[in-house]
Amino acid sequence: MSVFTVGDEDFLLDGRPVRLLSGALHYFRVHEEQWGHRVAMLRAMGLNCVETYVPWNLHEPELGRFRDVGALGRFLDVVAAAGMWAIVRPGPYICAEWENGGLPHWLTGRLGRRVRTDDAEYLVHVERWFRALLPQVVARQIDRGGPVVMVQAENEYGSYGSDRGYLRHVVDLLHACDVTVPLFTSDGPEDHMLTGGSVPGVLATVNFGSGAREAFGVLRRHQPRGPLMCMEFWCGWFAHWGEEGVVRDAGDAAGALREILECGASVNVYMAHGGTNFAGWAGANRSGGAHDGPLEPTVTSYDYDAPVDEAGLPTEKFWRFREVLSAYASGPLPEVPAAPVRLAGPVGAVLEGWAPLGEVLEVLGDEEWDTPLPPAFEELGVDRGVVCYRLEVPGPRRPYPLTVEGLRDHVTLYVDGRRAEPGAAVAGPASVELWVESWGRVNYGPRLGEAKGITAGVRHERQYLHGVRARGLRMDAFVPEAVAKVPFRALERGRGREAEGGAGVGEGVGLYRGVCDVTVRGDAWLRLPGWGRGFVWVNGFCLGRYWSVGPQEALFVPGPVLREGGNEVWVLELEGAGADAGVRLS
């Protein structure tokens, strides 16, 4: 057993000064069978600590239904086995470019702006969550023989609010749940952020990508004593769909890291290894200074231009960081682990079946709602996926523009079974289908927790159209036993995607099934030439969203997902695939 404390100048382990050389590695963005390799990569880079967030919405997808909360504990055990310390950031809000900043959709849908405040109902849910989660952390604290040396209270709260009572409640709740290691907060190195996000008596840390001396100077104005730490050293950045990928020069990043360490500070490299936003869990941002501009969805890859890339391989940045960090090691650094096994060679999938989206909805969709106004995703209980809204335009009446009020994300419109553009003139009578796809909930800023779907109504000229049938198609519905019931029809190679019945059939919208034969399994990249936008699964494991707008052109396939022999591939195409669309692993 050891005791980790916060001293006047340093972190102290059993009274001896220590420096935390940490790296961010999110267990939920890495296949569990690859945790050990990724942790070993961080240790070989010269780090002595691993930091992870914990996404509440992943572990409590529905109110009161917890899912694999023990994953955090298993990950911390892997960290301990590698001889490293751990920092845990349990939220309840985490940002992390993750769906809704980690907050459950059922919570923000009900409480709206009351989340992240000293609201009694919100705090009841936070306490229930923490009491379910924190035993995984408490049992693994360093004073109980485990690796956990610090726990965060909330996350970058100074970028969001100023409810000091709420922050104090979170701190008190962590203590009430038997967290005995030091707590900390982390915020940007700006006066208003540190003022809004700090808690008296709790260590404050700062997040930045460069300018360490200036950043720590600001921190010292607010916290004259205590160890300095950059809790998020942004060595890269994330990317949005439809934008250029972000790359940071390795030498520049290494120089910024060296400056942090020359200040005598501890550091957490964000990200040391980014991983992947599997299963559509990527969040989104709002552009504009007030964060009220167009939605900017985050790509599936969370490579982050990190020193250990998405596939677990060392980059030039890794070697530059290893060189910097080696000067602060107590001895020679470990050898770099061997690279994971790669797929033996490129293989293509044979697409064998297809089902129109409407028929997929009939089998996998939730119960249909019949309501006067379109319900939001939150009302339907849909976190990630698609909602189909059906309504009628009365008639006879002349053509008027059909407009969607309060639309969040993307809508595909069909009028009498034919695809049309939103705002198109529609005469009555007519049957209308609106398929709204979530591109990820906002994870940062004042638009956090905004509702998804059609949040106001559908108008024909100035008149609202009432009488809406709505049905959700959730990502979690795509499991092997359910997909096996979908009435796939055979694909005739060379004839495109033409078939009778179903919305958007001629454009290739629907669910495809194929088989990919693999001789020796290993990590691979999946490419979808000729496809538009949608999601893809391999052996029931959702790799995430693909989209032809880029910048991401391939999806990472962890080797443990594959098997020798036939591998089943599902492609849910939501935009429209060409006749020559294919699936390739390499």
Side-chain angles (χ1 to χ4, degrees):
M1 310 293 180
S2 295
V3 178
F4 186 89
T5 56
V6 174
D8 287 342
E9 301 294 335
D10 302 295
F11 292 114
L12 303 174
L13 182 65
D14 296 330
R16 295 179 292 103
V18 294
R19 188 196 301 250
L20 295 179
L21 304 174
S22 180
L25 194 170
H26 300 156
Y27 66 95
F28 48 92
R29 284 179 159 128
V30 178
H31 193 284
E32 184 166 352
E33 291 185 32
Q34 298 183 325
W35 287 348
H37 174 265
R38 303 303 194 263
V39 169
M41 288 295 294
L42 268 59
R43 187 167 181 266
M45 192 169 71
L47 301 176
N48 59 23
C49 184
V50 177
E51 173 268 313
T52 187
Y53 278 126
V54 182
W56 183 359
N57 52 7
L58 178 68
H59 293 298
E60 193 180 7
E62 299 173 11
L63 175 59
R65 180 172 73 85
F66 293 105
R67 176 171 60 187
D68 197 16
V69 177
L72 174 62
R74 297 195 302 273
F75 178 72
L76 294 174
D77 290 343
V78 171
V79 172
M84 301 180 75
W85 296 317
I87 296 171
V88 179
R89 304 168 78 183
Y93 161 82
I94 64 171
C95 184
E97 289 71 59
W98 189 258
E99 160 88 9
N100 218 24
L103 297 174
H105 74 282
W106 50 261
L107 180 71
T108 55
R110 175 177 175 80
L111 299 183
R113 292 175 298 162
R114 291 158 56 194
V115 300
R116 303 186 77 190
T117 71
D118 208 9
D119 176 84
E121 185 176 355
Y122 170 65
L123 292 174
V124 165
H125 292 295
V126 172
E127 180 168 358
R128 188 192 65 257
W129 162 235
F130 272 11
R131 291 199 179 278
L133 171 73
L134 289 176
Q136 300 291 324
V137 178
V138 168
R140 294 168 175 85
Q141 294 177 111
I142 196 166
D143 54 8
R144 302 193 185 194
V148 178
V149 294
M150 289 204 301
V151 171
Q152 180 171 271
E154 242 280 350
N155 180 60
E156 292 185 316
Y157 190 72
S159 298
Y160 179 79
S162 59
D163 191 335
R164 303 297 291 275
Y166 165 58
L167 290 182
R168 173 51 63 185
H169 191 107
V170 172
V171 168
D172 292 345
L173 178 57
L174 289 166
H175 286 150
C177 291
D178 296 324
V179 174
T180 53
V181 296
L183 303 181
F184 68 93
T185 59
S186 63
D187 289 285
E190 299 185 34
D191 289 330
H192 72 287
M193 294 182 179
L194 286 164
T195 301
S198 301
V199 180
V202 175
L203 179 70
T205 66
V206 284
N207 304 336
F208 55 83
S210 59
R213 291 179 177 85
E214 293 81 359
F216 289 137
V218 176
L219 178 60
R220 275 292 179 239
R221 293 205 301 268
H222 293 262
Q223 183 173 265
R225 305 197 67 79
L228 296 172
M229 183 164 188
C230 177
M231 188 52 67
E232 290 186 15
F233 164 51
W234 303 319
C235 63
W237 207 244
F238 55 91
H240 293 129
W241 288 110
E243 299 177 1
E244 293 295 324
V246 180
V247 176
R248 182 174 185 181
D249 178 76
D252 174 70
L257 174 60
R258 182 178 289 108
E259 182 183 357
I260 293 171
L261 300 176
E262 287 174 348
C263 290
S266 292
V267 67
N268 179 51
V269 177
Y270 193 99
M271 297 289 299
H273 169 64
T276 309
N277 293 311
F278 296 119
W281 281 108
N285 293 286
R286 288 282 184 184
S287 64
H291 300 278
D292 57 359
L295 191 76
E296 298 176 324
T298 301
V299 300
T300 297
S301 171
Y302 202 63
D303 179 88
Y304 211 87
D305 194 30
V308 180
D309 73 10
E310 187 175 3
L313 304 178
T315 66
E316 180 186 357
K317 196 173 290 181
F318 174 93
W319 299 110
R320 294 289 191 97
F321 281 18
R322 179 177 158 99
E323 180 182 359
V324 172
L325 293 165
S326 65
Y328 297 87
S330 58
L333 296 183
E335 293 294 322
V336 178
V341 175
R342 287 292 309 275
L343 195 68
V347 292
V350 178
L351 297 176
E352 299 176 333
W354 170 78
L357 192 54
E359 295 182 12
V360 177
L361 180 67
E362 287 300 315
V363 176
L364 302 182
D366 295 336
E367 182 179 351
E368 186 172 74
W369 284 41
D370 192 347
T371 64
L373 294 170
F377 276 44
E378 289 73 16
E379 296 174 87
L380 295 168
V382 176
D383 54 355
R384 296 155 295 122
V386 182
V387 170
C388 176
Y389 299 93
R390 295 187 172 107
L391 49 85
E392 302 294 325
V393 177
R397 60 173 63 187
R398 59 184 291 187
Y400 289 114
L402 191 72
T403 57
V404 184
E405 301 288 330
L407 175 66
R408 302 282 160 75
D409 298 326
H410 179 77
V411 64
T412 303
L413 171 66
Y414 296 94
V415 178
D416 292 332
R418 295 184 177 276
R419 194 159 175 170
E421 292 298 320
V426 177
S431 296
V432 175
E433 285 189 358
L434 302 105
W435 294 79
V436 179
E437 173 195 355
S438 173
W439 284 353
R441 287 177 174 81
V442 171
N443 54 257
Y444 178 82
R447 300 292 289 272
L448 177 71
E450 66 180 5
K452 288 291 184 182
I454 301 175
T455 61
V458 180
R459 288 194 296 108
H460 194 235
E461 202 256 344
R462 73 194 67 184
Q463 181 188 77
Y464 279 108
L465 297 177
H466 291 118
V468 179
R469 291 170 294 139
R471 194 170 184 185
L473 180 60
R474 295 175 294 108
M475 296 293 297
D476 286 347
F478 289 82
V479 295
E481 56 270 26
V483 172
K485 299 176 183 177
V486 173
F488 289 98
R489 52 191 79 176
L491 277 175
E492 297 178 14
R493 306 305 298 169
R495 73 171 180 88
R497 307 293 184 234
E498 302 271 342
E500 69 285 351
V505 168
E507 298 166 353
V509 175
L511 182 64
Y512 294 79
R513 183 176 61 186
V515 175
C516 185
D517 288 324
V518 170
T519 54
V520 178
R521 72 175 191 166
D523 289 351
W525 294 94
L526 185 143
R527 290 173 171 79
L528 293 144
W531 300 84
R533 186 189 69 256
F535 294 87
V536 61
W537 292 256
V538 175
N539 295 327
F541 182 91
C542 185
L543 302 180
R545 186 191 309 277
Y546 65 89
W547 196 353
S548 60
V549 300
Q552 185 172 354
E553 298 179 349
L555 300 180
F556 178 64
V557 185
V561 169
L562 296 172
R563 53 183 177 234
E564 295 181 2
N567 293 264
E568 188 165 59
V569 179
W570 311 328
V571 181
L572 180 66
E573 174 60 40
L574 298 171
E575 185 173 289
D580 59 347
V583 179
R584 299 171 187 166
L585 282 175
S586 62

